[in-house]
Amino acid sequence: MVKENYKPSVIYIPDPASAITGLNVVWSINDKLTTFASSHNLTKSKNDAALLHITQWIRFHFPESERYARKILHTIREGNSSFELTVDFLNEGVENAFPEYWDTIIGLVLQGNLELARILLQLHSQSDSDAFTYADKILRTIPIFSVYGEVSLPEFNLQWKLWQTNTAQRLLSGIFNKYLKLKFIMQVLSGDINSCMEQLKKYCTSWYQIMVAVLLYTEPTIKFYELSFHAHRYVQLYGGTANLNFCDSTVLALFELDLRSAMKKCQLASDGGWLTTHLTHLLMLCGKLEEEEIHNDEEQEIESSLRLDVKLVLEYGTLLMSHCSLWQVSLCYLDQCGEEGRARQEILLSQIVSNSDIKTMKIIQAALNRGLLDVGWYFNFEEIAFNNKINGMKCLRRNQLGKALEWAFRSQDSAFASHLADQFLQHYVKKGVFDSNDLLDNLGSCKYCEFRRLYIANKLKEAAICLNDLITSRIAPKYFWLTLLNDALPLLENDGNVPLFDIQQTANLSYCLNELCSLNEIFERKTALIRLALCKNMARAICAQTFVDNSL
Amino acid sequence: MVNNIYGTFVSQKINKIRWKPGNTTDSFITGSWDDEQENKIVLWTYLRTDSEDALVKPKIKCSLEYDGDITEIKFMNSSVFAVSSSTGTINLYNISREDEKLQFKLLNSWKKIHTFNTDDLCPSTDISFFEDILISVGEDGRIVLISTKDNEPYRIIENADSCTIRCLSINRLDEVLTGNSRGQMKVWDLRSYSNSPETSFTLSGGQVGFTRVTYHPTQTHIKLAGGEDGTITIWDLRNNKVAVNSLNAHSQSVTELMFHPDRPEHLFSCSANGQLWHWDSSKLTHPNITQFSTSESACILDETGCPWMSRNVKNRINVYSLIQNLHLPINSLDVQQNSVLCGCDNEAIYLIRDFTIS
């Protein structure tokens, strides 16, 4: 979901790919260590199994040996069809066919993967010899401590000592001298690390790899809290803390259970804060980072009451917003940050640039979902309303009145809507046709539309009433009156038996006409015809009225 | 609702996803949006190997950087497809094989056929094929008709709408439906030279815009439209004054509405709040007419036997949620045989294989 490798800005580690690997390593060791740390007070047994978990972690991150071992086994089992060498494995020996044979076995042993190592050893051309038989026996009989097993810790220690002495004796007897690599493996197994340290270093790329290898065969029941002591020893071996890269030193800090310094180191990773943010948040969730612990940090004054993890999430969320396509994810992060996050959402949301309706709708929807806007398009915060208006203005510039009006409706901006309606009418006055009948249909309730509809439907009497209402109510702007009066013309001229406008209505129309003429003399010319029609109609209306009166 | 759902992270927000038409469901195309200069159209393939993983993890076969958001992808035949974008340009591509590698070969391009009278780019919102005629609608309210062989559009209806035309559905050339962002539907006869619609009507009553419109594959007079508020409105084009049914389906904007191409009893819809639904009417296609109200209109509508038109449509159609609600919009879906694809704003695509279609 998150682009963790997105544009690495600070190149602390030269290669982004290795940075990702590094992050991965740190993340998962942290996973192991913290789950322990949170439980190590509770159960003694888990504490004892510390090495088991760390070995798993090492195997997971340095899977090459195992992978290669499987490849060897696969090639042998499937026949050599896919393998370019035409070696008869059984005669020549696997060790000659695969140059990495011994390295693989040693790698496996150093990770405690003895089962696989044994299988590979049995493939050796000399596997029948005494040396290999003994080696196999040693590997087979290694005591394995199980937390839930029946063997108690002292009992296990006894077994272990016995086994190791046995191994050392075999080694002394010189039976393995013929096979240097095998001898080396036996040396490691016997716990005689000092004599083969240099060789061991060749097989390990990092301090924690070698640490695990050595601990496996010297202190198989090491306690969790003892790890940090050993960690320092092996860091020294690899040139001291000064020579560690980001990843290695973070792992060290984690082994020391110094979470705060680990966090600080993580911040140097070139991931834009991804690791720190998520790690801190996770630790906070599982209760490892105590609140006071962070608040008492003497180096930085806590100005706001925000917790460190919230603060980091807030920063990270804001950072994401800087990439055009991550605004939705960014909002999700900010959702977790309470009031402060909300405030940022409001500011940031209004600044997202949108170049299409769809994006605008999504932004509005996102705001609605978070209650930043009230439902029903009532915008209770200025920015978005403003944004919508901008959209409206944009449409206006593009001469899209209909769309502008749509945005005005959405933002419930009555002033803007009436401005648009005004433009709309002006356009009609000028051209005599509405460009957008759909808009009129849509407005539906508008009085003038009703008049048009009635008129077209030939319901003249109703149309006349409607028009009269429209004029006398004075809703319509003055420039539109002339249009209205012109519309009245055919109704006035109607030669039905009863005039459509009665005396009062005709008088109303005349009054409007006079008012209009007093404003501008140009109207005088244009209105001559209307005036004439009004006079005629007045005459007819009076006649009709008199007739009605008389007949009463 | 137990389905085989396989998600793939693609690191771009997907706006459109389309199966490549054919007998197999092994290739599809995605189009991204909202990534400034880095939008892409990508052809993905599920490799046919023994391992199970390959069937659900697609591999990129070829990809092409694209200018602007991809707003729609439509296939003309099994290899030629058109892409519309937010720049108002439409391109026609052919998926061709050259030197053993697949690639998108540009067949034709119609630049900026949608424009505003300012310098802003005008998005094309929806396109659709009718044989080899391509019709496009846009935010400028234009309808543009293109013959795929020509370099210029052969007809442009300016001011077809006063606001954005959001969606388009072509049954026949004399029955083209457009829906706008204020909730109006217009029916066009594009064989005639008239620049005004045959009819224009509002179904929802309010100002709720339409986002998608489609028609029933076998009873083409039955139209379905998805709205901005998540409703699905159903009406009979022969009587378009009133909606037959208005279903409160999703709680946010319907982003895609699609019948199964071979099995019209199945409808699929997805929405801006991350829902993907399968509407299954197959079990109840032949109703007992007496169970419906005897009012005249109900009887007439029920003669068609189409469950969408029935009064108690909710009882006639089973709705399944195909995927757990995603928190971000699902922008697009496509269905072919028994595989559904959807693309989402969480930068992932999901494949749902072998869901139950009876």
Side-chain angles (χ1 to χ4, degrees):
Chain A
M1 188 154 169
V2 178
K3 295 180 177 177
E4 50 206 83
N5 58 342
Y6 174 68
K7 286 177 192 162
S9 46
V10 190
I11 306 295
Y12 191 82
I13 302 163
D15 159 27
S18 78
I20 299 293
T21 331
L23 294 184
N24 213 343
V25 170
V26 173
W27 178 263
S28 61
I29 183 67
N30 189 65
D31 190 35
K32 293 272 179 228
L33 288 176
T34 46
T35 39
F36 267 141
S38 49
S39 63
H40 88 271
N41 293 331
L42 303 173
T43 51
K44 195 179 140 293
S45 54
K46 273 207 173 155
N47 198 4
D48 292 335
L51 206 54
L52 180 72
H53 288 262
I54 293 167
T55 317
Q56 277 175 1
W57 167 67
I58 288 282
R59 277 188 208 172
F60 184 74
H61 283 287
F62 300 93
E64 294 83 5
S65 304
E66 193 174 330
R67 203 176 290 156
Y68 202 81
R70 299 217 176 274
K71 189 184 155 197
I72 294 176
L73 293 176
H74 184 79
T75 316
I76 290 169
R77 226 171 273 151
E78 300 285 310
N80 59 357
S81 58
S82 63
F83 203 66
E84 56 272 17
L85 293 177
T86 50
V87 182
D88 185 348
F89 298 117
L90 294 175
N91 291 339
E92 289 244 0
V94 180
E95 70 275 15
N96 295 324
F98 298 94
E100 297 90 345
Y101 175 74
W102 278 111
D103 288 353
T104 307
I105 293 179
I106 292 169
L108 289 170
V109 170
L110 295 186
Q111 292 182 358
N113 197 345
L114 300 182
E115 280 301 306
L116 207 54
R118 274 181 59 210
I119 296 173
L120 285 185
L121 280 175
Q122 279 161 7
L123 295 171
H124 196 274
S125 56
Q126 303 297 315
S127 59
D128 293 339
S129 67
D130 280 356
F132 281 86
T133 327
Y134 280 118
D136 187 64
K137 196 184 166 197
I138 289 169
L139 287 170
R140 202 177 61 227
T141 53
I142 184 170
I144 291 166
F145 180 67
S146 157
V147 176
Y148 306 105
E150 289 164 357
V151 186
S152 69
L153 191 59
E155 218 172 317
F156 170 79
N157 280 337
L158 206 66
Q159 286 182 0
W160 179 265
K161 285 239 172 64
L162 202 66
W163 175 79
Q164 218 159 32
T165 321
N166 197 11
T167 313
Q169 275 171 359
R170 293 274 174 223
L171 201 60
L172 276 175
S173 73
I175 192 168
F176 303 121
N177 285 354
K178 201 173 153 197
Y179 311 97
L180 280 179
K181 300 279 185 183
L182 194 62
K183 188 184 171 193
F184 168 66
I185 292 172
M186 290 305 136
Q187 267 177 334
V188 174
L189 288 178
S190 69
D192 182 16
I193 298 300
N194 292 335
S195 60
C196 60
M197 192 49 110
E198 280 312 304
Q199 211 178 343
L200 197 56
K201 266 177 84 171
K202 276 193 283 182
Y203 293 100
C204 299
T205 51
S206 63
W207 66 264
Y208 37 89
Q209 233 178 324
I210 202 167
M211 178 181 86
V212 171
V214 172
L215 289 180
L216 263 177
Y217 302 108
T218 52
E219 300 200 40
T221 58
I222 191 166
K223 300 284 182 291
F224 184 68
Y225 51 82
E226 292 169 334
L227 282 174
S228 105
F229 165 75
H230 289 280
H232 273 281
R233 226 181 101 197
Y234 292 98
V235 167
Q236 286 306 324
L237 212 75
Y238 274 75
T241 40
N243 278 350
L244 293 182
N245 69 17
F246 141 77
C247 171
D248 290 351
S249 62
T250 316
V251 172
L252 177 63
L254 284 170
F255 269 112
E256 289 170 339
L257 277 185
D258 183 358
L259 288 179
R260 213 174 327 155
S261 103
M263 292 299 122
K264 276 187 189 146
K265 292 199 166 92
C266 288
Q267 279 178 325
L268 295 172
S270 54
D271 63 342
W274 180 86
L275 180 65
T276 337
T277 310
H278 289 82
L279 209 52
T280 317
H281 194 67
L282 196 72
L283 290 174
M284 199 64 117
L285 283 181
C286 68
K288 273 317 288 173
L289 282 180
E290 295 303 326
E291 233 169 281
E292 313 105 278
E293 193 187 336
I294 298 162
H295 277 253
N296 291 342
D297 198 327
E298 64 287 333
E299 284 168 38
Q300 65 190 114
E301 282 293 309
I302 308 291
E303 292 147 12
S304 65
S305 57
L306 284 180
R307 278 174 16 198
L308 178 65
D309 63 330
V310 176
K311 210 184 223 164
L312 286 168
V313 173
L314 192 68
E315 286 308 313
Y316 189 66
T318 315
L319 178 78
L320 285 180
M321 198 60 100
S322 64
H323 186 269
C324 65
S325 84
L326 295 177
W327 59 271
Q328 284 159 310
V329 182
S330 164
L331 288 178
C332 295
Y333 275 91
L334 293 177
D335 280 345
Q336 308 299 320
C337 304
E339 277 303 308
E340 188 84 0
R342 218 179 131 85
R344 288 218 189 174
Q345 284 178 339
E346 286 190 13
I347 297 167
L348 293 170
L349 210 51
S350 62
Q351 285 170 358
I352 302 171
V353 183
S354 165
N355 49 9
S356 70
D357 276 10
I358 292 173
K359 187 166 177 186
T360 315
M361 295 303 300
K362 277 190 174 163
I363 295 169
I364 293 175
Q365 188 64 54
L368 275 174
N369 290 349
R370 286 163 179 81
L372 297 175
L373 315 170
D374 277 344
V375 192
W377 307 115
Y378 174 68
F379 294 165
N380 66 354
F381 88 93
E382 291 285 305
E383 274 86 353
I384 288 274
F386 185 65
N387 227 355
N388 264 352
K389 193 158 174 179
I390 289 184
N391 250 318
M393 296 297 283
K394 213 152 82 183
C395 300
L396 195 58
R397 264 206 322 278
R398 294 167 182 166
N399 217 358
Q400 280 189 293
L401 282 175
K403 203 167 146 191
L405 204 57
E406 178 203 334
W407 286 113
F409 285 145
R410 285 195 197 285
S411 60
Q412 304 242 315
D413 184 342
S414 55
F416 187 52
S418 43
H419 170 70
L420 291 171
D422 217 43
Q423 294 253 328
F424 197 57
L425 285 179
Q426 295 265 20
H427 188 81
Y428 178 66
V429 173
K430 236 182 274 169
K431 292 206 177 158
V433 284
F434 281 113
D435 282 345
S436 5
N437 274 319
D438 55 34
L439 190 59
L440 278 181
D441 291 348
N442 205 230
L443 295 175
S445 57
C446 115
K447 200 80 183 165
Y448 188 67
C449 313
E450 200 183 327
F451 160 71
R452 301 262 308 175
R453 199 167 48 76
L454 290 168
Y455 182 72
I456 289 165
N458 215 17
K459 293 179 180 164
L460 297 181
K461 187 66 194 163
E462 287 91 337
I465 294 168
C466 185
L467 190 65
N468 180 54
D469 286 350
L470 198 60
I471 292 176
T472 48
S473 65
R474 291 168 175 263
I475 302 172
K478 288 226 165 68
Y479 62 77
F480 197 56
W481 285 9
L482 188 64
T483 317
L484 291 176
L485 289 168
N486 270 325
D487 282 331
L489 207 55
L491 296 174
L492 291 168
E493 301 268 292
N494 182 284
D495 47 3
N497 290 332
V498 186
L500 295 168
F501 293 97
D502 63 18
I503 302 172
Q504 187 54 45
Q505 287 168 335
T506 319
N508 285 342
L509 295 182
S510 309
Y511 184 76
C512 287
L513 184 66
N514 287 336
E515 199 180 323
L516 204 59
C517 292
S518 67
L519 288 174
N520 195 334
E521 287 177 4
I522 304 170
F523 284 128
E524 209 46 75
R525 241 178 326 110
K526 292 185 181 173
T527 52
L529 203 60
I530 300 172
R531 203 174 284 280
L532 185 66
L534 277 172
C535 290
K536 274 194 208 160
N537 192 73
M538 185 61 108
R540 283 168 61 204
I542 292 170
C543 290
Q545 188 68 34
T546 329
F547 178 71
V548 173
D549 288 347
N550 286 346
S551 60
L552 282 172
Chain B
M1 124 128 228
V2 181
N3 289 308
N4 308 319
I5 302 172
Y6 308 98
T8 308
F9 178 72
V10 295
S11 79
Q12 278 193 313
K13 294 196 281 188
I14 297 300
N15 203 31
K16 283 292 159 193
I17 191 160
R18 295 285 176 251
W19 282 113
K20 185 172 176 287
N23 298 327
T24 54
T25 51
D26 56 3
S27 298
F28 62 95
I29 285 182
T30 57
S32 72
W33 78 288
D34 205 14
D35 210 356
E36 277 178 355
Q37 303 305 314
E38 293 165 43
N39 286 307
K40 273 185 197 141
I41 45 174
V42 180
L43 174 69
W44 302 80
T45 303
Y46 294 106
L47 296 172
R48 302 220 151 261
T49 59
D50 297 336
S51 89
E52 284 230 341
D53 214 28
L55 279 174
V56 293
K57 290 273 172 230
K59 296 272 176 301
I60 296 180
K61 276 290 165 184
C62 62
S63 85
L64 186 70
E65 297 247 327
Y66 213 80
D67 190 17
D69 302 343
I70 284 121
T71 54
E72 183 61 276
I73 300 173
K74 283 277 166 75
F75 273 90
M76 186 164 103
N77 53 43
S78 64
S79 66
V80 177
F81 66 97
V83 181
S84 68
S85 82
S86 63
T87 58
T89 297
I90 293 177
N91 288 340
L92 191 71
Y93 292 100
N94 184 20
I95 304 171
S96 62
R97 189 178 286 276
E98 233 161 73
D99 303 333
E100 290 300 304
K101 279 177 82 179
L102 288 173
Q103 62 169 21
F104 297 127
K105 193 172 169 226
L106 185 67
L107 295 181
N108 215 334
S109 176
W110 300 274
K111 296 215 161 36
K112 294 191 182 167
I113 52 172
H114 293 280
T115 51
F116 293 124
N117 54 6
T118 57
D119 290 339
D120 304 325
L121 291 169
C122 173
S124 160
T125 50
D126 201 357
I127 52 172
S128 202
F129 277 106
F130 180 78
E131 289 159 6
D132 63 343
I133 295 173
L134 180 63
I135 300 180
S136 163
V137 292
E139 283 191 16
D140 55 357
R142 270 184 186 178
I143 301 177
V144 181
L145 285 83
I146 298 166
S147 165
T148 50
K149 294 180 189 74
D150 300 340
N151 293 325
E152 296 293 328
Y154 72 86
R155 186 175 166 198
I156 295 176
I157 305 178
E158 299 274 0
N159 295 323
D161 209 304
S162 64
C163 60
T164 302
I165 303 180
R166 281 277 180 73
C167 48
L168 169 75
S169 157
I170 311 172
N171 178 23
R172 302 186 304 267
L173 215 47
D174 61 337
E175 194 184 299
V176 176
L177 244 71
T178 61
N180 76 11
S181 56
R182 283 198 325 266
Q184 283 173 306
M185 255 322 145
K186 292 182 182 179
V187 186
W188 303 83
D189 180 354
L190 294 181
R191 295 172 314 181
S192 84
Y193 290 102
S194 160
N195 280 344
S196 53
E198 291 288 291
T199 49
S200 156
F201 51 93
T202 310
L203 290 168
S204 54
Q207 293 275 334
V208 180
F210 285 119
T211 52
R212 303 300 296 179
V213 58
T214 187
Y215 56 85
H216 193 281
T218 52
Q219 290 160 303
T220 55
H221 56 277
I222 298 172
K223 310 286 174 182
L224 279 83
E228 238 167 49
D229 57 352
T231 53
I232 294 179
T233 310
I234 302 138
W235 77 100
D236 187 332
L237 196 66
R238 298 169 303 189
N239 175 23
N240 54 33
K241 290 283 182 286
V242 280
V244 178
N245 276 310
S246 183
L247 307 173
N248 293 323
H250 300 287
S251 48
Q252 282 176 28
S253 178
V254 177
T255 47
E256 193 115 54
L257 198 60
M258 188 179 283
F259 279 99
H260 192 287
D262 315 319
R263 292 169 168 271
E265 319 88 84
H266 300 274
L267 176 83
F268 297 86
S269 67
C270 58
S271 75
N273 58 334
Q275 293 169 325
L276 174 64
W277 287 2
H278 170 202
W279 306 69
D280 182 0
S281 62
S282 57
K283 297 206 173 58
L284 304 143
T285 308
H286 301 293
N288 179 2
I289 285 186
T290 53
Q291 83 183 73
F292 300 108
S293 74
T294 50
S295 84
E296 196 182 341
S297 63
C299 285
I300 291 168
L301 296 170
D302 276 333
E303 278 172 20
T304 62
C306 175
W308 291 102
M309 305 301 278
S310 75
R311 277 291 153 106
N312 50 354
V313 58
K314 291 230 159 158
N315 300 341
R316 304 270 314 272
I317 292 171
N318 293 324
V319 185
Y320 305 103
S321 176
L322 285 182
I323 199 166
Q324 196 184 358
N325 267 21
L326 302 169
H327 296 287
L328 292 171
I330 296 183
N331 295 319
S332 183
L333 74 87
D334 199 12
V335 53
Q336 193 159 301
Q337 293 171 14
N338 55 1
S339 300
V340 174
L341 277 172
C342 72
C344 180
D345 270 351
N346 68 5
E347 304 194 338
I349 52 178
Y350 297 88
L351 167 73
I352 299 149
R353 274 225 197 268
D354 307 324
F355 61 92
T356 44
I357 269 195
S358 49

